[in-house]
Amino acid sequence: MPTRKEKGMEAPKIDGAARLDDESVNRSVPAGRYFAALRGPELDEVKDTEDILLPKDEKWPFLLRFPIGCFGICLGLSSQAVLWRALSTSPATKFLHVPPFINLGLWLLAVAVLISVSFTYILKCIFYFEAVRREYFHPVRINFFFAPWVVCMFLAIGVPPVVASETLHPAIWCAFMGPYFFLELKIYGQWLSGGKRRLCKVANPSSHLSVVGNFVGAILAAKVGWKEVGKFLWAVGFAHYLVLFVTLYQRLPTSEALPKELHPVYSMFIAAPSAASIAWQAIYGDLDGLSRTCYFIALFLYVSLVVRINFFTGFRFSVAWWSYTFPMTTASVATIKYAEHVPSVLTKGLALSLSFMSSAMVCVLFVSTLLHAFVWHTLFPNDLAIAITKKRLVKEKKPFKKAYDLRRWTKQALTKHNSANKDFDGQNEGD
């Protein structure tokens, strides 16, 4: 039987998707296997001791290299549309005289990118369904399956006034929140019921994506006039956010997914409390004590990350970085809302500073994405994370002799050496 490496040498003769599908035994990869075989904050790098099903030294088809994390680009752009709508309409930033066409341009760009990414990923579902299935079982990437619906809700919230009226039809909320709700029933059930995918096993900062959508959905529910539904979503989201926050903050011994090094993925911590503050204000129409509490939590976490900015250097660019921009944008929108109720030079300056930081980050990532995509052609490398094996392939090694075996072998070797020397000396004397 050919070894797996020999199969890798024959890979140019075999289509990558066919090889992945032929490995029927590897279809249901357990969550713990991803942690054991992969490394990195996004669990996208294969350890040196691991083998994969597809060849590493050959460029895979484009659809096979197109990850679900590309919806992070849509998250960053759609949240920017919400931010610039707030900057152009909020009384706290009226002195800036922000023209509304910026919101319109960002909104149209976000819609175009969402359509392109969605169409491409649908093609991946058609031609490489096994790769999509493996992304679904991936502990980090499963959270990005919530992203398309969060993006749609962001676009509905940040829609320019020239495109739609202030009051939206409830059918829009049902179309976007329905799939999100059914998916979170599946994920939250796994967290609650236990098993290999319980929360303490799979918790990572990207898990906030499965929580923050409840608050975004609550904001949209308040905008369509369903405030009771918004209260329900806010309660569900806040309960699971508390559990997730405590799980990640404690770094339980079983939660090996959380990397020790600091990384932009930690910006996910500020997304949920910021969105919770905005949602509570949208539902009840006032920035009361609970809304301010959520905002202050987000502000403290934001500051605790900014003061460690030197730890954010030295990491390679990837598409997943886009998903870390929308928490910064959400915190900026929450600060604008706070400045409306507490007007002062400090609050307005803080809102302006955070808005500038988030927009600057999006601009830098947008330029970097264009360069990596069209100039350097390195935006989509081989997605090694989806090609891991179900079980680790242990290489055959010679059995290691125990300590007493080594001592016995040494004693025997010395005895033979001494006897050989005596024989040699006896022969010399005889001569």
Side-chain angles (χ1 to χ4, degrees):
M1 294 293 293
T3 63
R4 209 167 282 270
K5 286 189 176 181
E6 291 173 349
K7 289 182 180 179
M9 297 298 293
E10 299 173 358
K13 302 178 182 179
I14 305 175
D15 182 65
R19 281 195 71 203
L20 200 61
D21 288 333
D22 289 342
E23 296 285 347
S24 58
V25 65
N26 292 296
R27 289 198 173 190
S28 299
V29 181
R33 179 66 188 135
Y34 287 96
F35 296 142
L38 304 174
R39 57 187 172 87
E42 289 96 10
L43 289 180
D44 58 347
E45 302 176 15
V46 180
K47 294 180 180 179
D48 298 333
T49 57
E50 295 292 335
D51 195 9
I52 62 174
L53 303 175
L54 300 178
K56 296 181 181 180
D57 55 349
E58 183 179 300
K59 195 173 184 179
W60 302 351
F62 171 73
L63 292 177
L64 203 58
R65 294 181 285 115
F66 191 82
I68 186 68
C70 290
F71 283 101
I73 303 176
C74 309
L75 277 174
L77 294 175
S78 60
S79 59
Q80 281 291 305
V82 176
L83 172 62
W84 284 93
R85 176 185 169 89
L87 288 173
S88 61
T89 59
S90 175
T93 56
K94 187 178 181 180
F95 66 96
L96 296 175
H97 302 287
V98 177
F101 71 84
I102 300 179
N103 166 238
L104 177 61
L106 286 172
W107 190 83
L108 293 175
L109 177 61
V111 171
V113 173
L114 176 62
I115 293 175
S116 302
V117 174
S118 300
F119 178 74
T120 306
Y121 203 78
I122 290 174
L123 291 179
K124 182 177 181 178
C125 294
I126 296 173
F127 294 103
Y128 300 102
F129 182 74
E130 177 60 25
V132 176
R133 191 168 181 266
R134 282 171 169 258
E135 285 192 300
Y136 177 78
F137 287 115
H138 194 283
V140 174
R141 297 191 185 183
I142 187 175
N143 300 295
F144 286 92
F145 282 87
F146 293 94
W149 314 110
V150 178
V151 171
C152 292
M153 289 187 284
F154 271 137
L155 292 175
I157 295 171
V159 59
V162 297
V163 177
S165 59
E166 187 68 22
T167 303
L168 300 178
H169 196 277
I172 297 177
W173 181 90
C174 296
F176 298 155
M177 194 62 201
Y180 184 97
F181 185 75
F182 285 110
L183 183 58
E184 77 173 358
L185 283 178
K186 172 69 173 177
I187 303 303
Y188 291 178
Q190 293 177 350
W191 291 0
L192 180 64
S193 60
K196 296 182 179 180
R197 297 185 182 273
R198 60 184 181 273
L199 184 59
C200 64
K201 286 287 188 181
V202 300
N204 60 86
S206 299
S207 300
H208 286 97
L209 271 173
S210 59
V211 176
V212 71
N214 291 285
F215 302 120
V216 180
I219 298 172
L220 184 59
K223 193 167 185 177
V224 302
W226 289 1
K227 292 190 176 182
E228 289 300 316
V229 177
K231 295 175 184 178
F232 168 77
L233 291 176
W234 195 96
V236 172
F238 192 73
H240 287 85
Y241 166 70
L242 290 179
V243 176
L244 180 62
F245 181 79
V246 172
T247 302
L248 293 175
Y249 208 94
Q250 288 186 87
R251 291 196 177 190
L252 298 177
T254 54
S255 183
E256 300 177 359
L258 191 63
K260 294 182 179 180
E261 69 272 12
L262 200 60
H263 189 270
V265 72
Y266 281 77
S267 64
M268 288 287 188
F269 278 90
I270 66 178
S274 301
S277 176
I278 302 172
W280 186 271
Q281 181 185 354
I283 295 172
Y284 293 95
D286 186 23
L287 191 73
D288 57 7
L290 184 56
S291 180
R292 297 189 187 201
T293 300
C294 295
Y295 170 70
F296 291 149
I297 293 173
L299 185 61
F300 173 79
L301 294 174
Y302 198 115
V303 174
S304 65
L305 293 178
V306 170
V307 296
R308 293 172 175 82
I309 193 66
N310 58 319
F311 288 95
F312 288 82
T313 59
F315 295 94
R316 63 180 178 85
F317 172 82
S318 66
V319 178
W321 280 51
W322 272 96
S323 59
Y324 311 143
T325 58
F326 92 92
M328 301 173 61
T329 306
T330 308
S332 303
V333 176
T335 306
I336 293 174
K337 298 296 183 181
Y338 180 77
E340 292 178 4
H341 293 80
V342 187
S344 67
V345 177
L346 179 60
T347 56
K348 293 181 180 179
L350 183 61
L352 183 60
S353 301
L354 296 184
S355 300
F356 172 78
M357 289 175 60
S358 63
S359 298
M361 179 63 72
V362 169
C363 291
V364 170
L365 290 179
F366 188 75
V367 173
S368 299
T369 303
L370 294 179
L371 291 175
H372 280 273
F374 301 106
V375 179
W376 302 322
H377 304 286
T378 57
L379 184 61
F380 300 112
N382 288 341
D383 193 6
L384 304 179
I386 65 171
I388 63 173
T389 57
K390 182 179 180 180
K391 296 180 180 180
R392 182 179 179 182
L393 302 177
V394 182
K395 299 180 180 179
E396 294 185 359
K397 296 181 180 180
K398 294 182 179 180
F400 182 76
K401 291 183 177 297
K402 298 182 180 180
Y404 62 86
D405 293 330
L406 292 176
R407 287 195 297 267
R408 184 172 57 186
W409 174 82
T410 306
K411 185 177 180 180
Q412 292 175 354
L414 290 175
T415 304
K416 290 180 181 180
H417 179 72
N418 292 334
S419 61
N421 288 339
K422 289 180 180 179
D423 295 341
F424 180 77
D425 294 339
Q427 291 177 359
N428 289 338
E429 292 177 358
D431 294 338

